[in-house]
Amino acid sequence: MHLPVDSFTADSSPAFTTLRVWLALGLVLLLSGCATFAPNPPQDQSNICEIFREQPSWYDYARESQEKWGTPIATQMSFIQQESSFRSHIRPDRKYYLGFIPGPRPSSAKGYAQAQDPVWGEYQDQAGSLFARRTHMKHATDFIGWYNRRSQQQAGISLSNPEHLYYAYHEGAGGYQRGSYRGKPHVLNAGSQVAARANRYQAQLNACEAEFQCRKFYQVWPFCRS
């Protein structure tokens, strides 16, 4: 059966072709989680002052999380540096079979905080929202604060103990209480790095935090938050 020739006229027009190209482009950007527009990782990740100077809004997000959940800003940022090096859309590398056939990823971890699907779903249900994104720093810092508060409640870990908070973050409260991290040298090493970095970040933040507390037009010294 042949359709009339003029039934395809609209499809072949330049305007329609252009529209299809733009729609396809928009779909690609949507599916990629707008990675193109995500902030670049800070150049100097060893200094929290420089991190916040590059991304001042990150200070606001971490401060909000600290006020809500109790985890210090320096600890939150140390967790994120350890997990993702401040890369918004990072995921675990796939396994490749025969060197070129893509296999599954080892976990569903994603985003700044490398939160996995099940626990991210719990966070959305209990504290976040359906619109919370692992690729947005605001939601990543809030997630870390929520998770550490849960570790404090379930495993009795002090919010001022970044090393053991990280062990629970990696192993879960149950795994932490069973001491599963003790048999994992890479986890012990990561926890030690998180603690050392958090201490360094805190010392740096003590010297520069005032500039981030009073940077908005409606924040006038000495009435800025402290």
Side-chain angles (χ1 to χ4, degrees):
M1 176 180 179
H2 295 285
L3 294 175
V5 173
D6 60 359
S7 68
F8 290 92
T9 303
D11 287 356
S12 59
S13 69
F16 188 78
T17 301
T18 302
L19 178 62
R20 284 194 301 179
V21 169
W22 280 108
L23 287 174
L25 220 72
L27 182 60
V28 168
L29 285 175
L30 183 63
L31 292 176
S32 67
C34 298
T36 306
F37 304 107
N40 291 325
Q43 292 184 353
D44 183 1
Q45 298 186 15
S46 67
N47 190 315
I48 198 171
C49 302
E50 295 303 323
I51 292 169
F52 288 149
R53 284 174 186 137
E54 284 193 40
Q55 299 293 338
S57 62
W58 290 4
Y59 171 83
D60 296 331
Y61 301 150
R63 181 62 184 254
E64 289 170 10
S65 177
Q66 176 182 270
E67 292 172 350
K68 183 177 180 181
W69 303 110
T71 294
I73 293 171
T75 297
Q76 297 174 47
M77 301 307 283
S78 183
F79 270 45
I80 290 171
Q81 201 287 328
Q82 186 70 34
E83 292 296 287
S84 66
S85 297
F86 299 104
R87 291 171 290 178
S88 61
H89 286 70
I90 190 171
R91 301 181 68 181
D93 292 336
R94 293 183 182 275
K95 291 182 64 176
Y96 281 84
Y97 302 101
L98 301 177
F100 65 94
I101 302 173
R105 299 184 191 275
S107 79
S108 58
K110 180 182 178 182
Y112 286 116
Q114 288 295 280
Q116 298 193 44
D117 289 350
V119 71
W120 185 256
E122 291 180 46
Y123 163 71
Q124 288 181 306
D125 291 341
Q126 297 177 20
S129 75
L130 292 177
F131 302 103
R133 292 178 288 134
R134 284 171 279 187
T135 55
H136 196 293
M137 184 62 77
K138 179 179 177 65
H139 305 139
T141 53
D142 193 66
F143 170 79
I144 289 171
W146 167 80
Y147 195 98
N148 286 345
R149 174 65 67 83
R150 191 170 75 163
S151 295
Q152 180 194 43
Q153 294 171 341
Q154 295 179 350
I157 306 170
S158 170
L159 294 177
S160 61
N161 188 340
E163 182 173 358
H164 283 259
L165 286 172
Y166 184 79
Y167 295 151
Y169 189 79
H170 195 278
E171 301 293 296
Y176 174 82
Q177 289 173 306
R178 292 191 299 272
S180 60
Y181 62 94
R182 296 191 184 100
K184 299 179 178 179
H186 66 287
V187 177
L188 292 171
N189 182 57
S192 178
Q193 290 178 358
V194 165
R197 186 184 306 109
N199 290 335
R200 184 173 68 252
Y201 278 177
Q202 186 59 60
Q204 293 164 347
L205 192 60
N206 290 341
C208 70
E209 188 169 12
E211 68 182 88
F212 307 111
Q213 293 173 335
C214 207
R215 66 181 182 82
K216 295 184 178 179
F217 73 92
Y218 57 82
Q219 296 173 325
V220 181
W221 188 90
F223 304 106
C224 302
R225 60 189 178 188
S226 61

